């Protein structure tokens, strides 16, 4: 009961700060963020929102996104929806937010924010992320069950239960192509169920009776990439049919032609091509880590935080999913997770290097638990990025951690994750490899330790210039302050630092902001 009251209190605190119920046009949530469509962006009190204890940060994008963290957002959202509904019922019909002037102002602000991030490539990556991110909860749940089942099998325990656990863990993966097809059609503007119907051809056992390009097809050939291509094709066929099929015949002709044309193209083309691409991705990932493991891990671990900042990490989501579908786990995610370890180590070094700055130290203490669990927005935007150099040294820590895990992959000890989304300590239940769970956990845990230590040392010794250390190693409490992404005070903008809006450093995060924009996060190096 206390937890429910806390979630409702959080929702009640957020609602007036986003302009009240009348200002909310849509409500949704992902793994960590409450996503709101707003009529008038100017009614939002950003600083007061960031100051709320439950709020880790905010993100400006197509929607206004409030970072609450995994687990919390799923509990706060229903309470928020209920409060909005109650507020709309109680609001007078002539609410100020419905005026033409305010609506036009809100639309202009939204368009301006959207234009900053509306490059064709990033828009495409956002669509890809929107297809796969809704699948992450099922991937996590089934991945943990698969890990539990593997542990029981290795221990020889509960033999009557393990087949049932295997069915639970494998059922979703056996049909993941259908879900990808459904989400793809929805994202690209088609009928979702038709996208799912065409993608279902890929996993239908009867395709084993079909020959294409001189080869017999196999169920699941092409996987999620084939499903993605089939659903995109189905959307185009459906839209083409809508242009010329008479309305009286639309309900019969359009679905039939959509499935027929897209299905034939899938069977006699896409399944083969996507199968070859999927196999090449798996082969390349294995080759990369087998031959250049330490170097490849160093580069991947070091560059992942900048990739997240630019939104380019979204391109890795289909690769992760393909590897999980093929091999049962992705070998890339544990390496990329080292970036978060470097971030944690850097934050701890900042804590010790600025003993007089109570403000930043409070921010670090409140954000560190989330950072250990792989939620990186508070530490990135509340600590390292505004300071500048600590963000770079955090990347150094991630590089060393990634290089360590990559080295063991090169030596033959594969470390993988059965799902995407979590990182840090939260990834332990999802780990899998080729030499037993104990070895895999030990390597990943040691990699985190290397990332922590390297990030700490790099930041402690190289994270501050003399001028920067002199400027920040003073008490900030008496001075005017702004609010960081974690709600902690931070030096006001006239000191040359600033704050950013929230951004996840895990692969379950699909959105991107423009960190290079001075008003977002001025960086001192």
């Amino acid at each position: 009961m206390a937890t429910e009251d806390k979630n409702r209190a959080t929702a009640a605190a957020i609602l007036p700060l986003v302009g009240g119920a009348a200002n909310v046009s849509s409500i949704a949530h992902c793994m960590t963020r409450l996503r709101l469509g707003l009529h008038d962006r100017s009614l939002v009190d950003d600083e007061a929102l960031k100051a709320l204890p439950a709020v880790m940060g905010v993100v400006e994008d197509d929607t206004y996104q409030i970072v609450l963290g995994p687990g919390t957002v799923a509990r706060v959202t229903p309470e928020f929806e209920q409060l909005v509904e109650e507020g709309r019922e109680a609001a007078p019909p002539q609410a100020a937010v419905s005026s033409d002037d305010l609506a036009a102002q809100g639309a202009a602000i939204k368009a301006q924010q959207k234009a900053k991030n509306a490059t064709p490539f990033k828009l495409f990556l956002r669509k890809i992320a929107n297809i796969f991110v809704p699948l992450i909860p099922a991937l996590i749940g089934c991945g943990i069950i698969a890990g539990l089942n593997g542990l029981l099998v290795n221990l020889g325990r509960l033999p009557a239960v393990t087949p049932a656990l295997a069915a639970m863990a494998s059922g979703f993966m056996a049909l993941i192509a259908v879900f990808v097809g459904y989400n793809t059609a929805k994202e690209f503007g088609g009928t979702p169920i038709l996208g799912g119907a065409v993608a279902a051809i890929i996993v239908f056992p009867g395709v084993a009776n079909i020959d294409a390009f001189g080869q017999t097809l196999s169920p699941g050939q092409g996987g999620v990439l084939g499903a993605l291509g089939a659903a995109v094709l189905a959307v185009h066929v459906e839209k083409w049919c809508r242009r010329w099929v008479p309305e009286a015949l639309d309900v019969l002709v359009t679905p039939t032609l959509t499935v027929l044309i897209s299905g034939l193209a899938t069977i006699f083309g896409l399944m083969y091509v996507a199968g070859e691409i999927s196999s090449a991705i798996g082969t390349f990932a294995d080759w990369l880590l087998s031959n250049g493991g330490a170097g490849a891990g160093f580069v991947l671990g070091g560059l992942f935080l900048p990739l997240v900042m630019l939104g380019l990490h979204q391109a890795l989501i289909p690769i992760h999913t393909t590897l999980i579908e093929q091999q049962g786990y992705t070998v890339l995610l544990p390496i990329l997770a080292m970036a978060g370890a470097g971030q944690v180590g850097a934050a701890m070094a900042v804590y010790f290097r600025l003993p007089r700055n109570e403000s930043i130290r409070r921010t670090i203490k409140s954000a560190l638990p989330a950072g250990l669990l792989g939620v990186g927005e508070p530490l990135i935007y509340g600590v390292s990025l505004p300071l500048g150099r600590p963000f770079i040294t955090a990347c150094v820590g991630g590089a060393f951690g990634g290089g360590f895990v990559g080295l063991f992959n090169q030596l033959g000890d594969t470390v993988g994750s059965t799902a995407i989304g979590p990182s840090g300590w939260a990834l332990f239940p999802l780990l899998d490899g080729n030499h037993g769970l104990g070895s895999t956990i030990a390597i990943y845990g040691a990699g985190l330790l290397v990332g922590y230590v390297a990030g700490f040392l790099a930041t402690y010794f190289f994270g501050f210039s003399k001028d920067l250390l002199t400027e920040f190693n003073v008490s900030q409490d008496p001075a005017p302050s702004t609010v960081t992404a974690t709600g902690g005070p931070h030096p006001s903008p006239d000191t040359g630092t600033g704050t950013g809006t929230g951004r996840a450093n895990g692969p379950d995060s699909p959105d991107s902001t423009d960190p290079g924009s001075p008003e977002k996060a001025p960086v001192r190096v």
Side-chain angles (χ1 to χ4, degrees), residues 1 6 16 51 62 91 105 122 152 164 169 179 189 198 246 298 309 331-332 338-339 374 376 381 417 464 474 487 489:
M1 188 65 180
K6 178 181 178 182
D62 289 347
Q105 182 183 4
K122 286 189 177 180
L152 291 175
F179 293 98
V198 174
F298 190 91
M309 297 296 300
V331 293
L332 297 179
M338 295 300 117
Y381 288 98
S417 170
F464 292 90
V474 293

Side-chain angles (χ1 to χ4, degrees), residues 437-450:
L437 187 58
S439 173
T440 302
I441 289 176
I443 294 170
Y444 178 74
L448 288 179
L449 183 61
V450 170

Side-chain angles (χ1 to χ4, degrees), residues 91-295:
Q94 66 275 14
V97 72
S98 63
S99 69
D100 293 339
D101 289 342
L102 287 179
Q105 182 183 4
I109 294 174
K110 182 177 180 180
Q112 181 181 8
Q113 294 294 334
K114 186 176 179 179
K116 292 181 180 179
N117 236 12
T119 63
F121 183 61
K122 286 189 177 180
L123 290 175
F124 173 75
L125 290 181
R126 187 177 301 153
K127 284 183 178 291
I128 297 299
N130 289 342
I131 291 166
F132 288 93
V133 166
L135 306 179
I136 289 177
L139 285 169
I140 293 173
C142 294
I144 291 177
I145 293 173
L148 175 61
N149 182 64
L151 180 63
L152 291 175
V153 170
N154 291 335
L155 295 176
R157 302 291 180 86
L158 302 177
V161 176
T162 51
L165 293 178
M168 296 176 198
S170 304
F172 172 73
M173 290 306 301
L175 296 175
I176 190 172
V178 179
F179 293 98
V180 170
Y182 183 95
N183 287 348
T184 300
K186 181 179 179 181
E187 186 64 27
F188 282 85
T191 302
I193 199 65
L194 291 179
V198 174
I201 297 170
I202 293 173
V203 296
F204 177 60
V207 297
N209 301 321
I210 302 172
D211 291 334
F213 298 97
Q215 296 182 5
T216 300
L217 297 178
S218 59
Q221 185 174 338
V224 295
L225 297 183
L228 184 69
V232 170
L233 178 60
V235 170
H236 286 289
V237 172
E238 181 185 1
K239 290 180 178 180
W240 171 71
C241 290
R242 303 275 186 212
R243 288 199 294 265
W244 62 270
V245 174
E247 285 189 23
L249 299 175
D250 181 74
V251 70
L252 298 175
V253 175
T254 299
T256 303
L257 289 180
T258 298
V259 176
L260 178 63
I261 297 173
S262 304
L264 289 172
T266 298
I267 292 171
F268 294 105
L270 283 176
M271 286 185 67
Y272 175 81
V273 173
E276 294 298 308
I277 294 174
S278 298
S279 297
I281 289 174
T283 301
F284 177 73
D286 291 338
W287 175 88
L288 181 65
L289 294 179
S290 297
N291 293 276

Side-chain angles (χ1 to χ4, degrees), residues 47-53 55-56 350 354 356-367 378 381-384 386-387 472 474-493 495 497-500:
E47 300 305 320
L49 270 173
K50 295 174 187 176
L52 293 178
V55 175
M56 297 178 178
V350 171
L354 302 179
R356 298 178 182 176
N357 194 317
E358 302 88 350
S359 162
I360 292 180
R361 285 164 66 92
R362 279 198 303 268
T363 297
I364 293 172
K365 284 193 290 185
S366 64
Y381 288 98
V383 182
S384 65
L387 291 174
F472 281 96
V474 293
S475 176
Q476 300 295 322
D477 284 346
S481 63
T482 58
V483 182
T484 68
T486 57
H490 208 62
S492 45
T495 66
T497 66
T499 59

